[in-house]
Amino acid sequence: MERPGPPGACGDRGGTERGLCPQVPELQKGTVRIRQPERVRGIIQALREQGVAKLQVISDFDMTLSRFGCNGRRCPTSHNILDTSRVISEDGKKKLKDLLHYYYPIEIDPNRTLEEKRPLMVEWWTKAHELLVQQKIHKGDIAQIVRESEAMLRDGFKEFFDQLHKNNIPMFIFSAGVGDILEEIIRQANVFYSNVFVVSNYMDFNDDGVLTHFRGPLIHTYNKNNTVLQGTGYFQQLSTRTNIILLGDSMGDLTMADGVPSVENILKIGFLNDKVEERRGKYLDSYDIVLESDETLDVVNGILRYILTET
Ligand code: TMP
Ligand code: MG
């Protein structure tokens, strides 16, 4: 139930004329779309009132924590970083690119159901990982591959990671990308803090440091739920963290918190990066806050600042 906050607070219904939530001016940005402002106001207020000890953040990585575009071009996903690096043969690069051009439009097609997409995503990931294994990638090359790449985290990432770390808020990165690459990105950005926990597709190397296979279970865009978290016990350890901020850029990211035992409040923030007009309706139906073509973490940081400020 929505409780009214003190006058002028986010939960104050009388505050409509002063904007959705006057204490979070970032919500007035032109990139922000919200279907149910009252609901969003109530969740933000509850997250603030119930305190930092109950909060956890669950986030996707590629195109959510990392940027979608930079300098008029697409930014690479963790897979793309590897696929286009110098350790992949020209033939391998072409095959990986062909896969991307075939499967990516399917991944984001608003006219196909998740049931239709799932087996096709398994196909994409399986073929891509097989091609990568053929390339005899060395573990020792990963750091350099990332340094030489155009990987970029969203503007404001430092404040975001710092705020969570300083307040001991667990941050769970649930990614269908390549774990070794994304860890290296956040390590090189100096934000791989002790409160950050990653579940992703990790590479396994032999004694000579050569990639032999990807460790299971395979995580693709549309199985980001409890089925691939069995055995991690992550959410069970955090059973008192019943308030969640979820960040994603895909419809598949919406199930990332399904394994949390008893969710009290969840604020779902979705980055709508591509095919904005076509996908707007579906995103507004599913995410509480939709950020359209917004390459920053400004809104997330603004909400966190408000939630974490002492009353
Ligand atoms: P995620 O952001 O939901 O974790 O998904 C990872 C992204 O990686 C997804 O948008 C598709 C993309 N991808 C590639 O760019 N290249 C690949 O080879 C594969 C398998 C996925
Ligand atoms: Mg993503």
Side-chain angles (χ1 to χ4, degrees):
M1 213 182 72
E2 193 180 319
R3 271 186 291 153
C10 259
D12 177 16
R13 285 168 182 277
T16 319
E17 70 283 359
R18 292 192 300 275
L20 171 70
C21 179
Q23 289 80 359
V24 187
E26 291 80 2
L27 286 168
Q28 307 304 320
K29 266 184 95 173
T31 55
V32 177
R33 283 186 186 256
I34 297 171
R35 178 152 288 165
Q36 294 178 274
E38 286 296 328
R39 192 184 125 77
V40 168
R41 205 195 312 252
I43 300 172
I44 293 177
Q45 195 60 22
L47 297 182
R48 177 176 156 96
E49 286 174 4
Q50 295 181 16
V52 53
K54 283 181 106 175
L55 189 62
Q56 62 171 307
V57 171
I58 301 176
S59 181
D60 167 50
F61 183 78
D62 288 306
M63 310 294 118
T64 295
L65 293 178
S66 69
R67 288 178 61 125
F68 179 76
C70 29
N71 309 323
R73 287 194 294 153
R74 283 289 302 273
C75 259
T77 61
S78 51
H79 274 100
N80 298 154
I81 288 171
L82 206 50
D83 297 357
T84 57
S85 72
R86 61 183 164 75
V87 302
I88 310 292
S89 68
E90 287 312 311
D91 180 56
K93 280 189 177 127
K94 187 187 172 303
K95 287 181 174 149
L96 286 158
K97 200 172 174 179
D98 288 346
L99 290 179
L100 177 71
H101 288 162
Y102 180 76
Y103 288 106
Y104 176 68
I106 298 175
E107 181 193 348
I108 64 163
D109 186 348
N111 301 314
R112 290 190 198 231
T113 64
L114 297 190
E115 287 67 36
E116 270 177 87
K117 291 182 187 189
R118 251 181 226 115
L120 296 164
M121 294 300 107
V122 173
E123 234 176 69
W124 182 12
W125 262 252
T126 306
K127 286 179 184 169
H129 289 178
E130 274 168 16
L131 282 168
L132 289 171
V133 168
Q134 286 167 17
Q135 301 294 315
K136 308 266 177 288
I137 295 165
H138 281 259
K139 188 180 171 62
D141 285 336
I142 302 275
Q144 191 64 20
I145 289 171
V146 171
R147 257 192 298 276
E148 288 169 358
S149 76
E150 292 185 316
M152 266 176 107
L153 294 171
R154 282 188 195 273
D155 291 356
F157 76 87
K158 180 104 179 83
E159 179 186 347
F160 175 64
F161 279 85
D162 281 356
Q163 285 201 82
L164 297 177
H165 180 230
K166 279 199 197 106
N167 290 279
N168 293 316
I169 299 169
M171 145 102 136
F172 178 57
I173 299 179
F174 198 167
S175 169
V178 181
D180 310 71
I181 300 281
L182 79 86
E183 274 196 11
E184 190 56 34
I185 296 171
I186 54 180
R187 192 175 295 120
Q188 289 184 14
N190 296 315
V191 290
F192 197 5
Y193 299 129
S194 52
N195 62 317
V196 178
F197 186 84
V198 182
V199 165
S200 185
N201 298 301
Y202 279 90
M203 300 191 262
D204 258 341
F205 301 90
N206 64 17
D207 291 345
D208 298 325
V210 176
L211 172 66
T212 52
H213 63 281
F214 279 78
R215 227 177 287 162
L218 186 142
I219 304 170
H220 59 77
T221 330
Y222 298 112
N223 70 348
K224 288 186 171 186
N225 54 48
N226 217 19
T227 60
V228 292
L229 295 180
Q230 303 297 334
T232 70
Y234 178 77
F235 287 140
Q236 283 66 37
Q237 290 161 37
L238 297 182
S239 55
T240 54
R241 302 267 177 179
T242 48
N243 287 341
I244 296 163
I245 296 178
L246 179 146
L247 307 176
D249 78 295
S250 149
M251 296 301 285
D253 295 327
L254 288 156
T255 54
M256 291 191 300
D258 282 7
V260 179
S262 44
V263 177
E264 275 186 88
N265 299 284
I266 179 162
L267 183 67
K268 296 182 179 174
I269 304 177
F271 289 89
L272 178 49
N273 300 311
D274 204 2
K275 301 265 184 297
V276 173
E277 303 286 329
E278 273 173 72
R279 301 198 292 166
R280 178 177 291 141
K282 279 215 161 79
Y283 273 63
L284 281 169
D285 287 345
S286 318
Y287 281 104
D288 301 303
I289 299 176
V290 176
L291 301 173
E292 293 187 356
S293 304
D294 185 334
E295 294 291 357
T296 78
L297 287 163
D298 293 349
V299 172
V300 184
N301 282 336
I303 292 170
L304 271 178
R305 235 176 278 134
Y306 175 61
I307 292 174
L308 301 176
T309 322
E310 300 279 325
T311 25

